[in-house]
C-alpha cells in the first residue's frame, strides 16, 4: 500500500527534475519553408499517433478484460504501465541517443518511438496477468525498457534488419520476455486453474470489443514509421488484407476444432489480430497482394492451433504459465513474419545480384535470434527479481480479483462468498 505511491511519486519527481534541466522543444523554424515542413510532418503523423493511442489505451485495455473479476485492474494497470513506460523510455532514449549540448530536444517522433517501447511492456504483462501486484508490474517495466532499447539498437542499427511494423523488435521480443518472466516468477510448477480465471459471457464480450478496436486501428500502427508515399500506401493495404484473411481463417479454424462446430471467443479475440503481427516485417515490401492474404491466413491458423494444442503442451511439459496466450498471438506469428521477410528478400533478389539480398535475408534471421535470446535472458533475470517479498505478490487464492487493489462500491450490496472481511484482512497481512 505504501510502496506503490512511493515508487510512482519518486519516479515522477525525478522525471520533473530531468525535464526541467535537460528537455526542451525544437527551436521554432524561422523560414517559412521549414515551418511548412514541420507542419506537414505533424499533420501527417499525428492522426496515426491518435490511432495508436486508441489501440493501446482502449483496445488493448479491453482485450485484457476477459478475466471476469479483474477487468478494472486490467484496464487501470494497462493505462498506468503505458504512461510509466513511455516516460521511462523518453528519459533513456534522450540520454542514450538524443543528448546534444546538454539538452534533449523533444518532438512527436521521439514520443512515438517511446510509445512503441511501452508497447513491449503491455504485451509482456499478458503472460502474468492477474497473478502479480502493481509494484511487480512497475519493476518489470523498469527492467524491460532498457533491455528492449538495447535489443532494438542491435537489431536495427547493427544488423540493419527491415521491420517497419515491429514484428521482430516488438512482438517477438515482448512475447519471449514475458514468457521468461513467467517461467522465473512461477518456478513452483504448473499453476492450477483458479476459480476466478474462467471467462464469463460478459467478460468475453468486453474483450471482443477490444479486439475489434485493435483490428480497426492496426494499419496505423504498422504504417506510421513507413516512408510517406508508396511504401506507406503498401503497408496499409497489406495490413488490411492480412488482417481480413486472418479474421476469416480464425472463424474457419475455430469452428473445425470444436466438436459441435461452435466458435471459441478466445480464438476470435486473438486469431483475428495475428495477421497484423505477421505482416509488420514485410508490410512495405514490394510483394503481390496474395502474399499478404496467405500470411494472414497462416498466422491466424498458427495462433488458433497454438491455443488448442501448444499452450496445454507447454503447460504440461515446461510448467509454463501464459495467461493471455501471448506466445500464440505474438510469438508464433512474429516468428512466421520474420521468416516471411527473409523469403521475400530472397524472392526479390532473382532480378538482380543475389549476394546483397542473401546477406540481408541472413540478417533478418539473425535479428530474430537476437530478439528471442536477449528477451528470454532479460525476462528470466527480471522474473527472478520480481520474487522479492517486498514487491507484494498476491497469494494464489486472491489472484484475479479487483477488490484486492480497488475500492469496489457495490461490494457491500453484492458480497462474494469467497471474499469475506476476514479473508480480506488475511490478504492484506500476507
Amino acid at each position: 500500500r505504501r510502496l506503490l505511491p512511493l515508487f510512482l511519486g519518486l519516479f515522477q519527481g525525478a522525471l520533473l527534475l530531468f525535464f526541467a534541466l535537460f528537455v526542451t522543444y525544437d527551436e521554432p523554424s524561422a523560414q517559412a519553408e521549414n515551418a511548412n515542413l514541420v507542419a506537414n510532418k505533424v499533420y501527417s503523423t499525428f492522426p496515426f499517433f491518435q490511432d495508436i493511442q486508441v489501440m493501446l489505451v482502449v483496445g488493448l485495455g479491453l482485450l485484457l478484460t476477459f478475466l471476469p473479476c479483474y477487468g478494472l485492474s486490467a484496464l487501470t494497470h494497462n493505462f498506468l504501465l503505458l504512461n510509466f513506460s513511455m516516460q521511462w523510455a523518453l528519459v533513456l532514449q534522450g540520454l542514450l541517443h538524443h543528448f546534444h549540448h546538454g539538452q534533449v530536444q523533444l518532438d512527436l517522433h521521439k514520443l512515438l518511438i517511446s510509445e512503441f517501447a511501452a508497447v513491449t511492456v503491455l504485451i509482456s504483462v499478458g503472460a502474468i496477468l492477474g497473478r502479480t501486484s502493481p509494484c511487480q508490474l512497475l519493476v518489470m517495466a523498469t527492467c524491460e525498457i532498457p533491455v528492449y532499447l538495447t535489443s532494438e539498437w542491435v537489431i536495427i542499427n547493427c544488423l540493419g534488419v527491415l521491420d517497419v511494423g515491429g514484428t521482430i523488435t516488438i512482438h517477438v521480443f515482448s512475447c519471449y520476455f514475458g514468457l521468461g518472466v513467467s517461467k522465473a516468477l512461477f518456478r513452483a510448477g504448473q499453476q492450477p486453474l483458479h476459480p476466478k480465471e474462467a471467462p464469463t459471457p460478459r467478460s468475453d464480450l468486453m474483450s471482443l470489443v477490444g479486439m475489434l478496436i485493435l483490428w480497426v486501428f492496426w494499419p496505423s500502427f504498422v504504417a506510421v514509421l513507413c516512408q510517406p508515399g508508396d511504401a506507406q500506401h503498401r503497408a496499409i493495404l497489406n495490413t488490411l488484407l492480412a488482417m481480413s484473411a486472418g479474421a476469416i481463417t480464425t472463424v474457419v479454424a475455430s469452428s473445425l476444432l470444436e466438436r459441435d462446430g461452435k466458435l471459441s471467443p478466445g480464438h476470435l479475440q486473438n486469431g483475428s489480430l495475428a495477421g497484423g503481427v505477421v505482416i509488420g516485417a514485410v508490410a512495405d515490401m514490394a510483394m503481390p497482394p496474395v502474399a499478404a492474404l496467405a500470411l494472414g491466413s497462416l498466422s491466424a491458423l498458427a495462433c488458433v492451433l497454438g491455443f488448442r494444442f501448444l499452450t496445454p503442451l507447454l503447460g504440461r511439459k515446461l510448467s509454463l504459465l501464459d495467461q493471455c496466450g501471448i506466445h500464440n498471438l505474438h510469438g508464433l506469428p512474429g516468428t512466421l513474419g520474420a521468416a516471411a521477410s527473409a523469403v521475400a528478400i530472397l524472392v526479390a533478389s532473382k532480378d538482380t545480384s543475389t549476394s546483397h539480398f542473401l546477406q540481408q535475408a541472413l540478417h533478418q534471421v539473425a535479428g530474430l535470434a537476437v530478439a528471442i535470446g536477449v528477451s528470454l535472458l532479460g525476462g528470466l533475470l527480471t522474473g527472478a527479481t520480481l520474487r522479492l517479498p517486498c514487491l507484494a505478490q498476491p497469494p494464489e487464492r486472491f489472484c484475479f480479483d479487483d477488490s484486492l487493489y480497488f475500492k469496489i462500491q457495490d461490494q457491500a450490496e453484492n458480497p462474494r462468498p469467497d471474499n469475506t472481511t476476514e479473508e480480506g484482512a488475511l490478504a492484506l497481512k500476507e
Side-chain angles (χ1 to χ4, degrees):
R1 303 302 184 190
R2 296 183 180 90
L3 185 60
L4 180 64
L6 178 63
F7 186 97
L8 288 175
L10 290 176
F11 168 78
Q12 199 63 57
L15 195 80
L16 287 170
L17 182 61
F18 177 80
F19 267 62
L21 296 176
F22 303 112
V23 179
T24 183
Y25 292 119
D26 289 336
E27 293 295 331
S29 301
Q31 299 180 0
E33 295 180 358
N34 293 335
N36 291 333
L37 182 62
V38 173
N40 290 334
K41 287 183 178 180
V42 172
Y43 295 145
S44 63
T45 304
F46 190 64
F48 288 106
F49 184 82
Q50 284 182 306
D51 292 349
I52 295 170
Q53 289 281 83
V54 175
M55 284 181 63
L56 301 181
V57 176
V58 185
L60 184 57
L62 289 176
L63 185 69
L64 301 176
T65 59
F66 64 94
L67 297 170
C69 300
Y70 199 72
L72 187 60
S73 300
L75 275 169
T76 306
H77 295 164
N78 179 76
F79 183 58
L80 172 64
L81 286 172
L82 173 63
N83 288 279
F84 175 85
S85 303
M86 182 186 65
Q87 293 185 50
W88 179 225
L90 269 177
V91 172
L92 293 180
Q93 288 194 98
L95 291 174
L96 295 175
H97 304 301
H98 310 297
F99 198 74
H100 304 294
H101 306 293
Q103 292 290 327
V104 177
Q105 290 188 335
L106 186 63
D107 57 25
L108 186 60
H109 181 76
K110 294 183 180 68
L111 196 64
L112 178 64
I113 298 301
S114 299
E115 194 139 299
F116 274 16
V119 172
T120 61
V121 177
L122 305 185
I123 295 174
S124 298
V125 164
I128 55 175
L129 184 72
R131 296 183 182 271
T132 46
S133 68
C135 295
Q136 287 178 303
L137 298 181
L138 290 173
V139 172
M140 176 178 171
T142 305
C143 298
E144 183 171 1
I145 292 297
V147 179
Y148 163 75
L149 293 177
T150 303
S151 171
E152 185 205 30
W153 183 81
V154 172
I155 293 171
I156 301 299
N157 295 91
C158 298
L159 297 176
V161 171
L162 304 177
D163 188 22
V164 293
T167 295
I168 301 172
T169 55
I170 295 177
H171 294 287
V172 171
F173 174 89
S174 57
C175 167
Y176 290 100
F177 189 96
L179 294 180
V181 171
S182 176
K183 182 60 180 175
L185 183 58
F186 305 110
R187 294 183 302 183
Q190 187 177 4
Q191 298 290 330
L193 185 66
H194 196 280
K196 297 177 183 177
E197 196 174 348
T200 63
R202 183 176 180 180
S203 65
D204 271 333
L205 179 61
M206 293 294 292
S207 183
L208 195 61
V209 171
M211 180 277 291
L212 295 175
I213 294 173
L214 287 169
W215 195 95
V216 169
F217 291 108
W218 203 290
S220 295
F221 182 85
V222 174
V224 64
L225 294 181
C226 293
Q227 290 294 329
D230 290 339
Q232 199 168 63
H233 187 212
R234 280 197 304 270
I236 293 173
L237 294 177
N238 285 332
T239 305
L240 288 171
L241 290 175
M243 298 195 71
S244 181
I248 293 177
T249 304
T250 299
V251 174
V252 174
S254 180
S255 180
L256 291 176
L257 286 175
E258 298 295 333
R259 294 181 179 178
D260 53 5
K262 295 182 180 180
L263 301 178
S264 167
H267 294 166
L268 293 177
Q269 293 155 8
N270 293 273
S272 303
L273 301 174
V277 176
V278 73
I279 203 65
V282 296
D284 62 337
M285 295 183 182
M287 62 180 189
V290 66
L293 289 171
L295 284 174
S297 296
L298 288 174
S299 63
L301 182 62
C303 181
V304 174
L305 292 176
F307 272 102
R308 184 67 174 83
F309 301 107
L310 187 57
T311 296
L313 180 64
L314 294 177
R316 291 194 305 268
K317 300 298 184 181
L318 301 179
S319 299
L320 184 62
L321 175 67
D322 184 5
Q323 192 65 50
C324 295
I326 61 172
H327 187 237
N328 307 315
L329 176 54
H330 302 277
L332 297 179
T335 304
L336 177 62
S341 67
V343 172
I345 291 170
L346 291 177
V347 170
S349 69
K350 291 181 179 181
D351 301 330
T352 57
S353 175
T354 59
S355 59
H356 171 72
F357 289 92
L358 178 60
Q359 184 180 17
Q360 183 62 49
L362 292 175
H363 284 179
Q364 298 293 117
V365 178
L368 175 65
V370 169
I372 294 176
V374 172
S375 60
L376 274 177
L377 179 60
L380 289 171
L381 294 176
T382 301
T385 304
L386 298 187
R387 296 177 65 88
L388 293 173
C390 63
L391 297 181
Q393 181 175 340
E396 175 63 21
R397 63 183 179 278
F398 294 109
C399 292
F400 310 111
D401 199 332
D402 287 329
S403 62
L404 199 59
Y405 306 110
F406 289 89
K407 183 178 180 181
I408 308 299
Q409 297 296 335
D410 61 345
Q411 193 171 1
E413 301 175 4
N414 300 298
R416 296 175 185 167
D418 56 346
N419 192 24
T420 61
T421 305
E422 293 78 6
E423 288 183 337
L426 179 61
L428 289 177
K429 183 178 179 180
E430 294 191 10

